[in-house]
Each structure stands twice: as structure tokens, then as C-alpha cells.
Amino acid sequence: DAGITQSPRYKITETGRQVTLMCHQTWSHSYMFWYRQDLGHGLRLIYYSAAADITDKGEVPDGYVVSRSKTENFPLTLESATRSQTSVYFCASSPRDRGSYEQYFGPGTRLTVT
Amino acid sequence: DAKTTQPTSMDCAEGRAANLPCNHSTISGNEYVYWYRQIHSQGPQYIIHGLKNNETNEMASLIITEDRKSSTLILPHATLRDTAVYYCIVGGETSGSRLTFGEGTQLTVNP
């Protein structure tokens, strides 16, 4: 029972490069989310998806692109990485059960942009 | 989304109950109260949630006041492994299932 996984767990990239962070869940949850967490701060929502082919912006979407062609996958792409995007990225998924929306998080990807 | 207010930090002795308060005075009628925790460098972990009634599971109890303007998360017998940042979050259907994480409470369980 893998649950929710993220890859890679650690990534170092250069400014201007494109990088894609992967997220995969085995629960068939309808909702999926991407958050970033900067050192010493809480989580901020980047994008979320209510179902395959349905995505919407969160609090800090600029510089990021998402897609969701399959229910189980929700990749996050940084089109042209900047140093300000150095952060830990968490993916989460959520079922829709009687109107409650608890989220289950992956282990995170630590991204450093040099 | 309703905003929450939590103390920045709290301490608790191992084996004692940890009571973490949260104020959410602007909560709307169909918003849930969620609690998550984050142990250092790990992904956040869902603990419990509730709407109006008190809730209990294997991890914790959630006490919500009758007016729903505040709640308390109770860890009945805190252990060293419960040391973490605890987030109280309000949200649900009105926010399209988006949950907004604030700064949380750093709970330190001391031996």
C-alpha cells in the first residue's frame, strides 16, 4: 500500500532550467494539491485539482504549471526555475467523503535552485 | 476561508495530556475544523476533523465549543514522538476543499 509518493525526493537545478516534480497516489482520490513550504514557514497552496483534467490556481501559482491527465498523477512543472522557488514541495490528495476534505501528504521534494 | 489563531509554542511533559487551543471566530456554518501536525522535515499528517460534535480517534480528541468559535485538540498521553508543529485549519466545501495552513503551534514534549 504505497499511498502517495513523490519523486525525486531531492533535486538541485540551475536558474532558468525546467524541472518537473512528480506525484502519484494509489487511493484514486479525486482531489490533489501542490504546496510549497519555505524554511520556517507554513504551507502555501500552489495549485490543486478536483479531478482529471480539472485544475485551479492556489495562493502562489506564478511560475508553475500543472496537468492531470490521469487521476493518480499530478505533476508540477517549474517552467524556468528561479532561486525564489527553492523550497520543499509537498503533494497531497483528498477523498470526497460526506463533505469533509482531509488531505494526505507525500514525503516532499526538497528543491534547490542555484 | 475562516482564519485561525493558535499559540506559537507550547510545552508538555511526557505522559501528560497536551491541550492545544485554536480560535476560529469567523468560521461559517458548513466549515469543518481540521488538525494536522508536521514532524520536522516530514509531510504534514492528518490527525482529526469535526464539524459541530466532539470527535475522538486513535490519535487524539477534538473538542469544539458550542458556538464553534474555538476548539481544543487533546493528545491524552503525550510522548516524545508527538513533538511537532500542530496546525488548526478551517475549511471545506465553501473553499472548494482548499485548506489554508497558518504558522501553527510548536508543541515540545519534554521527558
Side-chain angles (χ1 to χ4, degrees):
Chain A
D1 184 358
I4 184 164
T5 56
Q6 294 183 235
S7 61
R9 294 294 313 281
Y10 302 90
K11 176 74 176 178
I12 299 174
T13 192
E14 296 177 343
T15 301
R17 299 256 185 165
Q18 182 181 81
V19 60
T20 296
L21 310 184
M22 304 300 295
C23 179
H24 176 78
Q25 52 108 355
T26 60
W27 294 308
S28 298
H29 286 170
S30 55
Y31 277 78
M32 295 187 74
F33 307 82
W34 275 106
Y35 294 87
R36 61 176 287 175
Q37 185 173 36
D38 301 321
L39 191 64
H41 290 87
L43 283 79
R44 292 185 292 171
L45 181 65
I46 304 171
Y47 268 97
Y48 68 104
S49 168
D53 297 321
I54 300 174
T55 62
D56 207 348
K57 295 178 180 179
E59 185 184 352
V60 289
D62 293 343
Y64 302 95
V65 174
V66 294
S67 62
R68 193 160 176 216
S69 57
K70 293 184 178 181
T71 299
E72 61 267 28
N73 296 323
F74 191 38
L76 176 74
T77 298
L78 287 68
E79 294 185 297
S80 179
T82 65
R83 288 200 180 92
S84 65
Q85 293 177 309
T86 292
S87 190
V88 180
Y89 290 84
F90 290 103
C91 177
S93 70
S94 177
R96 283 197 67 168
D97 179 27
R98 292 169 288 132
S100 66
Y101 298 91
E102 66 267 26
Q103 297 182 19
Y104 299 92
F105 285 79
T109 294
R110 188 174 298 272
L111 177 68
T112 302
V113 183
T114 62
Chain B
D1 292 344
K3 196 175 170 70
T4 62
T5 304
Q6 299 177 253
T8 303
S9 63
M10 294 182 64
D11 285 280
C12 177
E14 189 177 19
R16 304 298 292 267
N19 297 285
L20 291 90
C22 180
N23 288 322
H24 32 79
S25 58
T26 60
I27 191 171
S28 62
N30 56 356
E31 288 185 310
Y32 287 77
V33 179
Y34 296 86
W35 283 85
Y36 289 77
R37 73 180 182 184
Q38 187 174 25
I39 297 169
H40 181 61
S41 79
Q42 297 182 20
Q45 179 187 22
Y46 164 78
I47 301 172
I48 198 168
H49 74 279
L51 184 63
K52 294 180 183 177
N53 300 321
N54 298 337
E55 302 287 345
T56 296
N57 63 19
E58 65 278 3
M59 288 182 69
S61 294
L62 173 60
I63 308 299
I64 303 174
T65 58
E66 194 168 339
D67 63 7
R68 302 211 323 127
K69 293 184 177 181
S70 65
S71 61
T72 302
L73 178 75
I74 301 172
L75 308 179
H77 305 286
T79 71
L80 299 179
R81 284 178 293 201
D82 291 323
T83 292
V85 177
Y86 287 76
Y87 296 98
C88 167
I89 302 162
V90 171
E93 194 160 352
T94 56
S95 59
S97 117
R98 295 164 50 171
L99 298 179
T100 301
F101 285 75
E103 298 301 320
T105 296
Q106 171 66 58
L107 174 69
T108 302
V109 181
N110 300 304

